[in-house]
Short mmCIF file of all heavy atoms in Angstrom, two decimals:
data_model
loop_
_atom_site.label_atom_id
_atom_site.label_comp_id
_atom_site.label_asym_id
_atom_site.label_seq_id
_atom_site.Cartn_x
_atom_site.Cartn_y
_atom_site.Cartn_z
N ARG I 26 -64.31 4.40 -27.94
CA ARG I 26 -64.85 4.69 -26.61
C ARG I 26 -65.43 3.41 -26.03
O ARG I 26 -66.38 2.86 -26.58
CB ARG I 26 -65.92 5.77 -26.69
CG ARG I 26 -66.44 6.23 -25.32
CD ARG I 26 -67.43 7.37 -25.50
NE ARG I 26 -67.99 7.87 -24.25
CZ ARG I 26 -67.40 8.78 -23.50
NH1 ARG I 26 -66.25 9.31 -23.87
NH2 ARG I 26 -67.98 9.20 -22.37
N LEU I 27 -64.83 2.95 -24.95
CA LEU I 27 -65.30 1.76 -24.26
C LEU I 27 -66.26 2.17 -23.15
O LEU I 27 -66.13 3.24 -22.56
CB LEU I 27 -64.14 0.97 -23.66
CG LEU I 27 -63.02 0.57 -24.61
CD1 LEU I 27 -61.99 -0.29 -23.86
CD2 LEU I 27 -63.54 -0.15 -25.83
N SER I 28 -67.18 1.28 -22.85
CA SER I 28 -68.12 1.52 -21.77
C SER I 28 -68.20 0.29 -20.88
O SER I 28 -68.09 -0.84 -21.36
CB SER I 28 -69.51 1.84 -22.32
OG SER I 28 -70.42 2.12 -21.27
N CYS I 29 -68.38 0.53 -19.59
CA CYS I 29 -68.57 -0.55 -18.62
C CYS I 29 -69.85 -0.24 -17.85
O CYS I 29 -69.94 0.81 -17.20
CB CYS I 29 -67.39 -0.62 -17.67
SG CYS I 29 -67.62 -1.75 -16.28
N ALA I 30 -70.82 -1.13 -17.95
CA ALA I 30 -72.09 -0.95 -17.26
C ALA I 30 -72.15 -1.90 -16.07
O ALA I 30 -71.91 -3.10 -16.22
CB ALA I 30 -73.25 -1.24 -18.21
N ALA I 31 -72.46 -1.34 -14.91
CA ALA I 31 -72.46 -2.13 -13.67
C ALA I 31 -73.88 -2.31 -13.15
O ALA I 31 -74.73 -1.42 -13.31
CB ALA I 31 -71.61 -1.44 -12.62
N SER I 32 -74.10 -3.43 -12.52
CA SER I 32 -75.37 -3.68 -11.85
C SER I 32 -75.12 -4.55 -10.62
O SER I 32 -74.11 -5.25 -10.54
CB SER I 32 -76.38 -4.35 -12.78
OG SER I 32 -75.88 -5.58 -13.24
N GLY I 33 -76.04 -4.47 -9.66
CA GLY I 33 -75.92 -5.30 -8.47
C GLY I 33 -74.87 -4.83 -7.49
O GLY I 33 -74.43 -5.61 -6.64
N ILE I 34 -74.47 -3.57 -7.59
CA ILE I 34 -73.40 -3.05 -6.75
C ILE I 34 -73.68 -1.58 -6.43
O ILE I 34 -74.34 -0.90 -7.23
CB ILE I 34 -72.03 -3.20 -7.45
CG1 ILE I 34 -70.88 -2.99 -6.47
CG2 ILE I 34 -71.92 -2.28 -8.65
CD1 ILE I 34 -69.52 -3.38 -7.04
N ASP I 35 -73.21 -1.13 -5.26
CA ASP I 35 -73.35 0.26 -4.88
C ASP I 35 -72.31 1.09 -5.61
O ASP I 35 -71.32 1.56 -5.04
CB ASP I 35 -73.22 0.42 -3.36
CG ASP I 35 -72.06 -0.37 -2.78
OD1 ASP I 35 -71.38 -1.09 -3.55
OD2 ASP I 35 -71.82 -0.26 -1.56
N PHE I 36 -72.58 1.25 -6.88
CA PHE I 36 -71.60 1.76 -7.83
C PHE I 36 -71.03 3.11 -7.43
O PHE I 36 -69.83 3.36 -7.57
CB PHE I 36 -72.27 1.85 -9.21
CG PHE I 36 -71.38 2.36 -10.31
CD1 PHE I 36 -70.51 1.50 -10.96
CD2 PHE I 36 -71.42 3.68 -10.69
CE1 PHE I 36 -69.69 1.95 -11.97
CE2 PHE I 36 -70.61 4.16 -11.70
CZ PHE I 36 -69.74 3.29 -12.34
N GLY I 37 -71.86 3.99 -6.94
CA GLY I 37 -71.45 5.37 -6.69
C GLY I 37 -70.34 5.53 -5.68
O GLY I 37 -69.66 6.56 -5.69
N ILE I 38 -70.12 4.55 -4.83
CA ILE I 38 -69.09 4.69 -3.80
C ILE I 38 -67.84 3.87 -4.13
O ILE I 38 -66.93 3.78 -3.31
CB ILE I 38 -69.61 4.27 -2.41
CG1 ILE I 38 -69.93 2.78 -2.36
CG2 ILE I 38 -70.83 5.10 -2.02
CD1 ILE I 38 -70.20 2.28 -0.95
N ARG I 39 -67.80 3.30 -5.32
CA ARG I 39 -66.72 2.38 -5.68
C ARG I 39 -65.74 2.99 -6.67
O ARG I 39 -66.14 3.69 -7.60
CB ARG I 39 -67.27 1.09 -6.28
CG ARG I 39 -68.24 0.36 -5.37
CD ARG I 39 -67.54 -0.16 -4.14
NE ARG I 39 -68.50 -0.76 -3.20
CZ ARG I 39 -68.18 -1.23 -2.01
NH1 ARG I 39 -66.91 -1.19 -1.60
NH2 ARG I 39 -69.11 -1.73 -1.22
N THR I 40 -64.47 2.69 -6.45
CA THR I 40 -63.44 2.96 -7.46
C THR I 40 -63.58 1.95 -8.59
O THR I 40 -63.81 0.76 -8.34
CB THR I 40 -62.04 2.88 -6.84
OG1 THR I 40 -61.88 3.96 -5.92
CG2 THR I 40 -60.97 2.96 -7.90
N VAL I 41 -63.48 2.41 -9.80
CA VAL I 41 -63.57 1.52 -10.97
C VAL I 41 -62.25 1.59 -11.74
O VAL I 41 -61.68 2.66 -11.92
CB VAL I 41 -64.73 1.93 -11.88
CG1 VAL I 41 -64.83 0.99 -13.08
CG2 VAL I 41 -66.05 1.92 -11.10
N ASN I 42 -61.80 0.43 -12.15
CA ASN I 42 -60.53 0.33 -12.86
C ASN I 42 -60.74 -0.25 -14.25
O ASN I 42 -61.60 -1.12 -14.44
CB ASN I 42 -59.58 -0.62 -12.10
CG ASN I 42 -59.49 -0.31 -10.63
OD1 ASN I 42 -59.08 0.78 -10.25
ND2 ASN I 42 -59.87 -1.27 -9.80
N TRP I 43 -59.94 0.22 -15.19
CA TRP I 43 -59.84 -0.43 -16.50
C TRP I 43 -58.46 -1.09 -16.58
O TRP I 43 -57.44 -0.46 -16.27
CB TRP I 43 -59.95 0.57 -17.64
CG TRP I 43 -61.36 0.94 -18.01
CD1 TRP I 43 -62.03 2.07 -17.66
CD2 TRP I 43 -62.25 0.19 -18.83
NE1 TRP I 43 -63.28 2.06 -18.20
CE2 TRP I 43 -63.45 0.91 -18.94
CE3 TRP I 43 -62.17 -1.03 -19.50
CZ2 TRP I 43 -64.55 0.48 -19.66
CZ3 TRP I 43 -63.27 -1.47 -20.23
CH2 TRP I 43 -64.44 -0.73 -20.31
N HIS I 44 -58.46 -2.35 -16.99
CA HIS I 44 -57.24 -3.10 -17.21
C HIS I 44 -57.22 -3.56 -18.67
O HIS I 44 -58.25 -3.56 -19.34
CB HIS I 44 -57.20 -4.36 -16.33
CG HIS I 44 -57.27 -4.10 -14.87
ND1 HIS I 44 -56.17 -4.26 -14.03
CD2 HIS I 44 -58.29 -3.70 -14.08
CE1 HIS I 44 -56.55 -3.98 -12.78
NE2 HIS I 44 -57.83 -3.64 -12.79
N ARG I 45 -56.07 -4.01 -19.11
CA ARG I 45 -55.99 -4.64 -20.42
C ARG I 45 -54.98 -5.77 -20.38
O ARG I 45 -54.06 -5.77 -19.55
CB ARG I 45 -55.61 -3.63 -21.51
CG ARG I 45 -54.20 -3.07 -21.39
CD ARG I 45 -54.00 -1.99 -22.46
NE ARG I 45 -52.65 -1.42 -22.39
CZ ARG I 45 -52.26 -0.38 -23.11
NH1 ARG I 45 -53.11 0.22 -23.96
NH2 ARG I 45 -51.03 0.09 -23.01
N GLN I 46 -55.18 -6.71 -21.28
CA GLN I 46 -54.25 -7.83 -21.40
C GLN I 46 -54.02 -8.13 -22.86
O GLN I 46 -54.96 -8.51 -23.59
CB GLN I 46 -54.77 -9.06 -20.67
CG GLN I 46 -53.73 -10.18 -20.60
CD GLN I 46 -54.07 -11.24 -19.58
OE1 GLN I 46 -55.23 -11.39 -19.18
NE2 GLN I 46 -53.07 -11.97 -19.13
N ALA I 47 -52.78 -7.99 -23.26
CA ALA I 47 -52.39 -8.31 -24.63
C ALA I 47 -51.92 -9.76 -24.68
O ALA I 47 -51.50 -10.32 -23.66
CB ALA I 47 -51.27 -7.38 -25.09
N PRO I 48 -51.98 -10.39 -25.85
CA PRO I 48 -51.55 -11.79 -25.97
C PRO I 48 -50.14 -11.99 -25.47
O PRO I 48 -49.23 -11.24 -25.85
CB PRO I 48 -51.66 -12.05 -27.48
CG PRO I 48 -52.67 -11.08 -27.95
CD PRO I 48 -52.49 -9.85 -27.12
N GLY I 49 -49.96 -12.95 -24.59
CA GLY I 49 -48.63 -13.29 -24.10
C GLY I 49 -48.09 -12.33 -23.05
O GLY I 49 -46.93 -12.45 -22.64
N LYS I 50 -48.92 -11.38 -22.62
CA LYS I 50 -48.46 -10.40 -21.63
C LYS I 50 -49.34 -10.44 -20.39
O LYS I 50 -50.45 -10.95 -20.41
CB LYS I 50 -48.48 -9.00 -22.25
CG LYS I 50 -47.47 -8.80 -23.37
CD LYS I 50 -47.41 -7.34 -23.80
CE LYS I 50 -46.35 -7.13 -24.86
NZ LYS I 50 -46.26 -5.70 -25.27
N GLN I 51 -48.81 -9.90 -19.31
CA GLN I 51 -49.57 -9.81 -18.06
C GLN I 51 -50.64 -8.73 -18.16
O GLN I 51 -50.51 -7.77 -18.94
CB GLN I 51 -48.63 -9.51 -16.90
CG GLN I 51 -47.74 -10.67 -16.50
CD GLN I 51 -47.00 -10.42 -15.20
OE1 GLN I 51 -46.70 -9.29 -14.84
NE2 GLN I 51 -46.74 -11.48 -14.46
N ARG I 52 -51.68 -8.91 -17.37
CA ARG I 52 -52.73 -7.89 -17.32
C ARG I 52 -52.14 -6.60 -16.76
O ARG I 52 -51.36 -6.62 -15.80
CB ARG I 52 -53.88 -8.38 -16.44
CG ARG I 52 -55.13 -7.53 -16.54
CD ARG I 52 -56.31 -8.24 -15.91
NE ARG I 52 -56.71 -9.40 -16.69
CZ ARG I 52 -57.81 -10.12 -16.45
NH1 ARG I 52 -58.60 -9.79 -15.43
NH2 ARG I 52 -58.11 -11.16 -17.19
N GLU I 53 -52.54 -5.48 -17.36
CA GLU I 53 -51.97 -4.18 -17.03
C GLU I 53 -53.08 -3.23 -16.59
O GLU I 53 -54.12 -3.15 -17.27
CB GLU I 53 -51.26 -3.61 -18.27
CG GLU I 53 -50.78 -2.19 -18.13
CD GLU I 53 -50.30 -1.60 -19.46
OE1 GLU I 53 -50.67 -2.15 -20.52
OE2 GLU I 53 -49.57 -0.61 -19.45
N LEU I 54 -52.87 -2.52 -15.50
CA LEU I 54 -53.82 -1.50 -15.06
C LEU I 54 -53.66 -0.27 -15.94
O LEU I 54 -52.56 0.28 -16.04
CB LEU I 54 -53.59 -1.15 -13.60
CG LEU I 54 -54.48 -0.07 -13.00
CD1 LEU I 54 -55.94 -0.46 -13.06
CD2 LEU I 54 -54.05 0.22 -11.57
N VAL I 55 -54.75 0.18 -16.55
CA VAL I 55 -54.69 1.26 -17.52
C VAL I 55 -55.16 2.58 -16.92
O VAL I 55 -54.54 3.62 -17.11
CB VAL I 55 -55.55 0.91 -18.75
CG1 VAL I 55 -55.66 2.09 -19.70
CG2 VAL I 55 -54.99 -0.30 -19.46
N ALA I 56 -56.29 2.55 -16.21
CA ALA I 56 -56.88 3.79 -15.70
C ALA I 56 -57.74 3.48 -14.49
O ALA I 56 -58.31 2.39 -14.38
CB ALA I 56 -57.70 4.48 -16.77
N ILE I 57 -57.82 4.47 -13.61
CA ILE I 57 -58.60 4.36 -12.38
C ILE I 57 -59.45 5.60 -12.23
O ILE I 57 -58.99 6.71 -12.54
CB ILE I 57 -57.66 4.28 -11.15
CG1 ILE I 57 -56.79 3.04 -11.20
CG2 ILE I 57 -58.45 4.31 -9.86
CD1 ILE I 57 -55.69 3.03 -10.15
N ILE I 58 -60.66 5.42 -11.73
CA ILE I 58 -61.47 6.57 -11.34
C ILE I 58 -62.11 6.27 -10.00
O ILE I 58 -62.74 5.23 -9.82
CB ILE I 58 -62.52 6.94 -12.42
CG1 ILE I 58 -63.23 8.25 -12.03
CG2 ILE I 58 -63.51 5.81 -12.68
CD1 ILE I 58 -63.98 8.89 -13.19
N THR I 59 -61.91 7.18 -9.05
CA THR I 59 -62.46 6.98 -7.72
C THR I 59 -63.92 7.43 -7.67
O THR I 59 -64.46 7.99 -8.63
CB THR I 59 -61.67 7.78 -6.68
OG1 THR I 59 -61.91 9.18 -6.89
CG2 THR I 59 -60.17 7.51 -6.78
N SER I 60 -64.54 7.18 -6.53
CA SER I 60 -65.93 7.57 -6.37
C SER I 60 -66.12 9.08 -6.48
O SER I 60 -67.18 9.55 -6.88
CB SER I 60 -66.46 7.07 -5.03
OG SER I 60 -65.70 7.62 -3.97
N ARG I 61 -65.07 9.81 -6.17
CA ARG I 61 -65.15 11.28 -6.24
C ARG I 61 -64.73 11.81 -7.60
O ARG I 61 -64.71 13.03 -7.81
CB ARG I 61 -64.29 11.90 -5.15
CG ARG I 61 -64.78 11.61 -3.74
CD ARG I 61 -63.99 12.39 -2.71
NE ARG I 61 -64.53 12.19 -1.36
CZ ARG I 61 -64.11 12.85 -0.29
NH1 ARG I 61 -63.15 13.75 -0.41
NH2 ARG I 61 -64.64 12.61 0.89
N GLY I 62 -64.33 10.91 -8.49
CA GLY I 62 -63.96 11.34 -9.83
C GLY I 62 -62.49 11.60 -10.03
O GLY I 62 -62.08 12.04 -11.12
N SER I 63 -61.66 11.32 -9.03
CA SER I 63 -60.22 11.44 -9.23
C SER I 63 -59.74 10.34 -10.16
O SER I 63 -60.23 9.20 -10.08
CB SER I 63 -59.49 11.35 -7.89
OG SER I 63 -59.85 12.43 -7.05
N THR I 64 -58.80 10.68 -11.01
CA THR I 64 -58.34 9.72 -12.02
C THR I 64 -56.83 9.53 -11.96
O THR I 64 -56.09 10.39 -11.47
CB THR I 64 -58.73 10.19 -13.43
OG1 THR I 64 -58.12 11.46 -13.68
CG2 THR I 64 -60.23 10.32 -13.57
N ASN I 65 -56.40 8.39 -12.48
CA ASN I 65 -54.98 8.10 -12.61
C ASN I 65 -54.80 7.19 -13.81
O ASN I 65 -55.70 6.37 -14.11
CB ASN I 65 -54.45 7.43 -11.34
CG ASN I 65 -52.96 7.62 -11.18
OD1 ASN I 65 -52.31 8.23 -12.02
ND2 ASN I 65 -52.42 7.10 -10.09
N TYR I 66 -53.67 7.31 -14.48
CA TYR I 66 -53.44 6.58 -15.73
C TYR I 66 -52.07 5.94 -15.74
O TYR I 66 -51.11 6.46 -15.15
CB TYR I 66 -53.55 7.53 -16.93
CG TYR I 66 -54.89 8.21 -17.05
CD1 TYR I 66 -55.12 9.45 -16.48
CD2 TYR I 66 -55.94 7.60 -17.74
CE1 TYR I 66 -56.35 10.06 -16.58
CE2 TYR I 66 -57.17 8.21 -17.86
CZ TYR I 66 -57.37 9.45 -17.26
OH TYR I 66 -58.59 10.05 -17.37
N ALA I 67 -51.97 4.84 -16.47
CA ALA I 67 -50.67 4.27 -16.76
C ALA I 67 -49.90 5.23 -17.66
O ALA I 67 -50.49 5.93 -18.49
CB ALA I 67 -50.83 2.92 -17.45
N GLY I 68 -48.59 5.24 -17.48
CA GLY I 68 -47.78 6.15 -18.27
C GLY I 68 -47.92 5.94 -19.77
O GLY I 68 -47.82 6.89 -20.55
#
């Protein structure tokens, strides 16, 4: 379970994204959560 703690930003109205980057590969968008809690995931 990963956690991301934010400060200095109006967090509640922002979409937050998780990305990952493996060695030798491009950064990949993994998951998104909007301010309203809608989510989307990489296949």
Side-chain angles (χ1 to χ4, degrees):
R26 186 176 179 86
L27 306 184
S28 182
C29 172
S32 60
I34 194 169
D35 45 357
F36 180 83
I38 66 169
R39 303 294 175 184
T40 292
V41 181
N42 311 300
W43 278 101
H44 300 252
R45 67 185 180 187
Q46 188 165 21
K50 294 188 177 181
Q51 288 190 330
R52 191 167 292 187
E53 172 190 19
L54 178 61
V55 173
I57 298 170
I58 186 164
T59 69
S60 60
R61 295 187 176 186
S63 296
T64 60
N65 204 359
Y66 300 92

